[in-house]
Amino acid sequence: MESPASPPVDANGTVRFSVPATLPEVARAVERLQHQLPRRLDEHQQHQVAIALAEVLTNIVEHGYENRGGPAIDVTMNTTDRWLAVEVRDAGLPIPMDKLEQAGPETSFGFDPTDLAALPEGGMGLGIIKTAFEYVDYRSQGGTNRLRLGKRLR
Amino acid sequence: MNARTDKENEMDLMAVSRERGVTVIAPTVRRLDAAVAPGFKQAVVRVIEGGDKRLVLDLAGVEFLDSSGLGAMVSILKALGTQGAVAVCNVKGAVLSLFQLTRMDKVFTILPGRAEAVARLAG
């Protein structure tokens, strides 16, 4: 049975990254992560994951740590039969829960393409994350933020 | 001492050429992301303020675009308003995926190559 529960995590084959909290390091980490993505994702899905992970990490550097740097960001990635599961931990300011809840394909990108004034110039990052991944869970506790993302594998 | 001006630094981000009354802007960075998007946007807005109203954004050299880079392109579209036009060309790989993911492929005129894009705007 498919369930919307958390993607199962298997300790085997876990990919771990520790990403220093700067934009150039984020770019480097995303390029490395791209090479570790499961081949069962087609090219477009691999791009979606890479784009969304870039948004996650950039958000932490720019908003979580307010561009002042901070402890390295921990990223782990697992592949199971049904899921690509990514977990990201940081110690910055948390993502506001209401913003995360509101973001999504319809709310973030449901604009009228002909209404120039209504098009978003920023704030697209969370929408991208919630469009690229079917499963998104975010917890902030004791100064640590933990984002869990899951993408279904076919 | 670094005596370079902001304008010189911005121009490092892109090459500007003109064909048939159309301005072609080609970013020279492989990644148009949060690190360079504000400078890129400023540089293009300067070009628009200089009087260029028909712009082709040639993304041939861009392998990765993030929401900041895309946001800069939306700002460019808005800066031109109804007085000008933008076409984007050589969109591929992860750059195309971002346009599709955000539905911005419905907003921008995307054409295969530079010649088609220039022809569309020179029309």
Side-chain angles (χ1 to χ4, degrees):
Chain A
M1 291 289 285
E2 288 285 345
S3 106
S6 168
V9 174
D10 184 344
N12 295 327
T14 300
V15 177
R16 284 177 199 283
F17 282 91
S18 179
V19 186
T22 68
L23 292 180
E25 292 292 344
V26 165
R28 205 164 298 152
V30 171
E31 291 200 346
R32 286 173 60 207
L33 277 161
Q34 273 178 292
H35 296 295
Q36 309 276 353
L37 294 175
R39 296 275 179 264
R40 273 184 290 159
L41 294 175
D42 66 31
E43 209 181 321
H44 178 61
Q45 291 175 316
Q46 291 190 24
H47 291 149
Q48 287 185 335
V49 169
I51 290 162
L53 292 179
E55 299 295 335
V56 168
L57 297 172
T58 300
N59 257 343
I60 294 168
V61 171
E62 292 198 321
H63 303 299
Y65 292 138
E66 298 178 300
N67 286 314
R68 290 191 290 241
I73 305 159
D74 290 318
V75 181
T76 57
M77 194 162 71
N78 289 285
T79 306
T80 65
D81 274 356
R82 292 181 182 279
W83 292 92
L84 167 69
V86 183
E87 183 172 301
V88 182
R89 286 172 183 265
D90 71 276
L93 299 170
I95 301 170
M97 269 311 177
D98 55 335
K99 282 194 180 178
L100 185 60
E101 276 164 20
Q102 280 159 23
E106 294 311 320
T107 48
S108 304
F109 309 120
F111 46 72
D112 172 359
T114 62
D115 184 1
L116 199 58
L119 298 176
E121 292 174 69
M124 289 184 271
L126 297 179
I128 290 169
I129 295 161
K130 288 184 70 176
T131 305
F133 288 95
E134 289 93 354
Y135 176 88
V136 177
D137 178 63
Y138 189 67
R139 304 281 159 85
S140 182
Q141 205 167 32
T144 300
N145 309 309
R146 189 208 64 194
L147 175 66
R148 281 186 176 161
L149 302 168
K151 190 164 186 69
R152 233 180 264 277
L153 300 174
R154 292 193 190 110
Chain B
M1 293 294 283
N2 188 349
R4 293 171 61 83
T5 63
D6 281 353
K7 193 173 174 183
E8 283 171 325
N9 287 324
E10 283 169 15
M11 294 315 272
D12 280 351
L13 299 174
M14 64 196 211
V16 181
S17 59
R18 292 180 178 81
E19 300 173 32
R20 300 168 62 190
V22 175
T23 306
V24 179
I25 293 176
T28 49
V29 287
R30 217 160 49 80
R31 300 178 61 91
L32 192 51
D33 62 10
V36 298
F40 174 71
K41 174 181 142 185
Q42 269 190 353
V44 178
V45 167
R46 246 185 250 267
V47 170
I48 294 168
E49 285 169 355
D52 296 55
K53 301 292 185 199
R54 286 182 285 174
L55 300 188
V56 168
L57 297 175
D58 184 347
L59 302 185
V62 179
E63 291 170 14
F64 195 85
L65 180 71
D66 76 355
S67 67
S68 303
L70 187 61
M73 292 176 59
V74 173
S75 300
I76 290 161
L77 202 61
K78 290 187 180 186
L80 279 167
T82 51
Q83 306 303 309
V86 182
V88 186
C89 66
N90 289 312
V91 179
K92 58 197 181 309
V95 178
L96 180 60
S97 291
L98 182 66
F99 272 94
Q100 292 169 340
L101 187 71
T102 57
R103 298 186 185 145
M104 287 292 178
D105 57 333
K106 308 277 185 281
V107 172
F108 287 90
T109 303
I110 300 177
L111 293 159
R114 185 185 285 209
E116 292 96 325
V118 169
R120 173 71 65 95
L121 296 192

